[in-house]
Amino acid sequence: QVQLVESGGGLVQAGGSLRLSCAASGSIFSPNAMGWYRQAPGKQRELVAEISSFGTKEYADSVKGRFSISRDNAKNTLALQMDNLKPEDTAVYYCHWTNYRSDYWGQGTQVTVSS
């Protein structure tokens, strides 16, 4: 089992910045990947960014150049720096962990961007 605890999020004006953090605990083994997904009302959950335990990163096209994902393998933490936020970034953001056999999710944190 892996437990994920998210922090950060909140309300920000368009053009502003927020930082999300996620702390993982439990049975954490490599290789694995950690990432952020988001789900807006009435839409499917989508990948925002992901980083493997080897450091390989992947971003959704909609956030490239604005968001930056990072992790600390020693501390089992994950961060998402979100800059130049847009109203369309409004969603619940979920931390995700996978060892490519099992998947675990955080409870989600709300990000709201006002225009």
Side-chain angles (χ1 to χ4, degrees), residues 21-85:
S21 298
C22 177
S25 61
S27 301
I28 297 175
F29 301 99
S30 295
N32 61 67
M34 297 185 74
W36 294 95
Y37 286 69
R38 66 187 180 188
Q39 187 166 19
K43 294 187 177 182
Q44 289 188 331
R45 190 173 296 188
E46 62 176 3
L47 173 69
V48 176
E50 185 177 76
I51 181 169
S52 75
S53 51
F54 301 110
T56 303
K57 301 178 183 180
E58 179 182 356
Y59 293 95
D61 288 342
S62 59
V63 306
K64 284 180 180 177
R66 300 188 297 122
F67 291 9
S68 179
I69 192 169
S70 60
R71 65 185 288 172
D72 185 327
N73 288 335
K75 297 180 179 179
N76 293 320
T77 57
L78 176 72
L80 183 69
Q81 178 65 38
M82 304 185 293
D83 297 321
N84 190 21
L85 282 159

Side-chain angles (χ1 to χ4, degrees), residues 82-94:
M82 304 185 293
D83 297 321
N84 190 21
L85 282 159
K86 303 176 180 181
E88 50 264 43
D89 294 318
T90 295
V92 177
Y93 284 69
Y94 297 91

